[in-house]
Amino acid sequence: MDERRRAVALTAITLSNDFLRCHVIFDTDSETSDSDLDEGDMRRRFQLRGGRRKPPRIKNYVEVTVPRFNTQQFRRHFRMTPATYENLEARLSPILSLSEGKAVIPLRKQLLGSLWLLATPDSYRSVGERFDLAKSSLNKSFMRVVECLNDISGQIILWPRGQDLDRVKADFNQNSLLRGIIGAIDGTHILIKAPKIDSQYYRTYKKTYAIILQAVCDARMKFTDCFAGFAGSVGDLRVFRNSDLWREIQIDKQSFFPNDEFIIGDKAYPVLTWCISPYIDRGQLTAAQIKFNTVLSSKRSVIERAFALLKGRFRRLKFLDMNVDEMIPHVIIACTVLHNICLDGIDENDVEDFIQEGMEMEIEEAYARNIPNEEAGEVKRQYLCALVTEA
């Protein structure tokens, strides 16, 4: 009986020593290195870890799996049709295919991996596993794609001029007496992770963190001007006053509105000869003014749909979690460039599914007026209101 107890005790001691040895191996705070372990410890570590190997990744996803997708499958995953993707790849190929004269990650893998990141809230780790890329390689590819899209933004996001201006006016003026509209303007919040610097400045009144995207779009939801980077605590009017669009129009209004055209906005925007907003309802609006507001609202809703389409297509914009805060505006602009490229696609007509995905409650800013209404703008609004009333 004593011998049996002795044997049990020896077994317990042996197991205890093994446990303590394993505990040291798995302690992530331990400073023990491989060179400090004897051969037995090294063998035991190898057995416990199952050998050293790279994280498992999907092989040949881009080369084998993606080509098998039909149009709907490809569109569901990458948020654009194959034809639109081919157009995008052709545009970016000269820049992405080479880097300082040396071959890099295959172009298609870089671009599809980046599109997947923008189209989903998936982590870098999971996307890297799918596209057989290390996290650092995926991050580098993503940044390069974002930079390329920003570089071509001036070719894709264009203010309408010439024949395009006539087309835009015709689109807006269908079934309406509000002649001369060439765009709808508004701002939207892109929610972000709390930034490292000046966090309070980025907080909205709903206590979320955000960056503002101000955009103008045409009647087909294509963006004709985009401006991103102001913190979520800033009102739409202040963003408008500090935007590139405002400054450029002050310099040469005629080049933007050659025939007295104008854009339309909500009540946060001032009444100018080139920017018309609705009458403020303080309970004293006339029937004509109410009708005018209704017509204006129906025309202005296109910018809300454009924002919904943008966020529905590129779901990463519903919440941006990035370590490099200064890159956030560039990612936002990259998505607006892709938005326009997709709308140019010959087979990208049905986008209601994306719009429904992007519909959400927008944060309404408190009404403030830091830019006084122009007297000429008020006269122009009264004239437009009379046109609507006579219909």
Side-chain angles (χ1 to χ4, degrees):
M1 191 71 177
D2 290 338
E3 292 180 358
R4 183 175 180 182
R5 289 178 179 173
R6 191 179 298 110
V8 170
L10 289 173
T11 302
I13 292 172
T14 302
L15 292 174
S16 177
N17 288 337
D18 287 344
F19 173 80
L20 290 174
R21 197 175 289 112
C22 293
H23 178 74
V24 171
I25 293 172
F26 280 114
D27 184 3
T28 56
D29 295 330
S30 173
E31 296 181 357
T32 303
S33 65
D34 289 350
S35 61
D36 297 325
L37 302 176
D38 59 26
E39 183 178 351
D41 286 334
M42 288 292 292
R43 188 183 306 110
R44 194 173 292 105
R45 168 175 283 188
F46 185 83
Q47 291 172 347
L48 289 170
R49 288 184 175 178
R52 293 175 179 168
R53 58 181 181 272
K54 294 181 179 179
R57 298 176 189 158
I58 299 175
K59 298 294 183 181
N60 299 320
Y61 181 75
V62 172
E63 298 81 0
V64 176
T65 304
V66 173
R68 295 177 180 174
F69 290 159
N70 60 33
T71 298
Q72 291 303 316
Q73 290 170 332
F74 188 96
R75 182 176 181 269
R76 185 167 62 250
H77 288 304
F78 299 104
R79 320 303 277 181
M80 62 180 63
T81 63
T84 300
Y85 171 79
E86 295 297 337
N87 176 36
L88 175 64
E89 184 178 295
R91 281 180 177 271
L92 302 186
S93 177
I95 308 173
L96 291 178
S97 58
L98 296 176
S99 176
E100 298 179 357
K102 298 180 180 179
V104 292
I105 301 168
L107 166 65
R108 186 153 292 202
K109 183 176 287 191
Q110 289 188 67
L111 194 47
L112 289 177
S114 299
L115 289 175
W116 192 287
L117 277 174
L118 293 174
T120 71
D122 294 354
S123 67
Y124 272 75
R125 178 186 58 79
S126 64
V127 177
E129 290 174 357
R130 179 178 295 274
F131 288 89
D132 192 18
L133 289 172
K135 183 178 178 180
S136 59
S137 298
L138 176 62
N139 181 67
K140 183 178 179 181
S141 297
F142 179 69
M143 291 303 180
R144 292 185 70 224
V145 170
V146 167
E147 182 181 356
C148 289
L149 290 170
N150 276 260
D151 287 344
I152 67 170
S153 62
Q155 306 168 29
I156 306 300
I157 302 174
L158 298 169
W159 192 263
R161 288 184 169 87
Q163 293 182 347
D164 285 339
L165 183 65
D166 294 335
R167 176 192 61 78
V168 170
K169 281 195 291 187
D171 288 343
F172 267 114
N173 293 336
Q174 288 181 4
N175 304 318
S176 174
L177 291 177
L178 290 180
R179 306 297 180 186
I181 302 174
I182 61 170
I185 187 171
D186 205 353
T188 187
H189 284 82
I190 307 295
L191 299 182
I192 60 172
K193 179 185 72 173
K196 300 173 184 176
I197 303 174
D198 295 332
S199 294
Q200 296 302 317
Y201 183 53
Y202 285 82
R203 293 184 71 172
T204 69
Y205 81 95
K206 288 192 175 182
K207 309 304 180 185
T208 56
Y209 294 91
I211 278 181
I212 296 174
L213 165 64
Q214 175 189 278
V216 180
C217 77
D218 64 18
R220 301 182 185 183
M221 295 184 291
K222 284 189 63 176
F223 294 124
T224 56
D225 184 81
C226 292
F227 180 71
F230 267 78
S233 59
V234 179
D236 285 347
L237 190 59
R238 183 179 169 192
V239 176
F240 180 55
R241 182 68 174 78
N242 288 275
S243 66
D244 296 333
L245 178 66
W246 172 272
R247 288 194 294 270
E248 291 172 7
I249 290 176
Q250 302 312 303
I251 295 172
D252 189 3
K253 173 188 166 186
Q254 187 65 22
S255 68
F256 285 85
F257 309 100
N259 299 300
D260 204 28
E261 295 89 358
F262 57 95
I263 59 177
I264 55 177
D266 64 14
K267 64 183 182 180
Y269 293 90
V271 181
L272 310 170
T273 56
W274 55 270
C275 180
I276 300 297
S277 57
Y279 290 95
I280 306 302
D281 189 355
R282 299 189 177 93
Q284 297 179 336
L285 294 186
T286 65
Q289 292 170 338
I290 293 174
K291 184 176 181 179
F292 172 81
N293 282 0
T294 300
V295 173
L296 198 71
S297 177
S298 67
K299 295 295 181 182
R300 196 185 59 80
S301 64
V302 67
I303 186 64
E304 297 171 358
R305 286 172 54 80
F307 285 145
L309 175 57
L310 177 71
K311 295 179 181 180
R313 191 191 296 275
F314 303 112
R315 290 169 288 179
R316 180 74 55 176
L317 292 183
K318 290 191 175 182
F319 183 81
L320 277 173
D321 183 357
M322 300 183 66
N323 292 326
V324 185
D325 297 337
E326 56 267 25
M327 281 299 296
I328 292 177
H330 298 285
V331 173
I332 295 171
I333 295 300
C335 289
T336 62
V337 171
L338 291 172
H339 168 96
N340 275 13
I341 290 175
C342 289
L343 288 179
D344 278 336
I346 58 174
D347 50 359
E348 187 66 286
N349 297 317
D350 184 11
V351 294
E352 289 299 323
D353 52 342
F354 291 153
I355 291 175
Q356 290 302 315
E357 287 187 47
M359 285 293 184
E360 60 186 8
M361 293 297 292
E362 293 291 338
I363 301 173
E364 293 186 3
E365 298 296 334
Y367 172 68
R369 195 170 289 282
N370 297 323
I371 304 176
N373 290 346
E374 291 180 348
E375 183 177 350
E378 292 279 13
V379 172
K380 184 171 183 175
R381 184 170 64 174
Q382 282 295 108
Y383 168 72
L384 295 170
C385 179
L387 287 179
V388 171
T389 305
E390 294 172 0

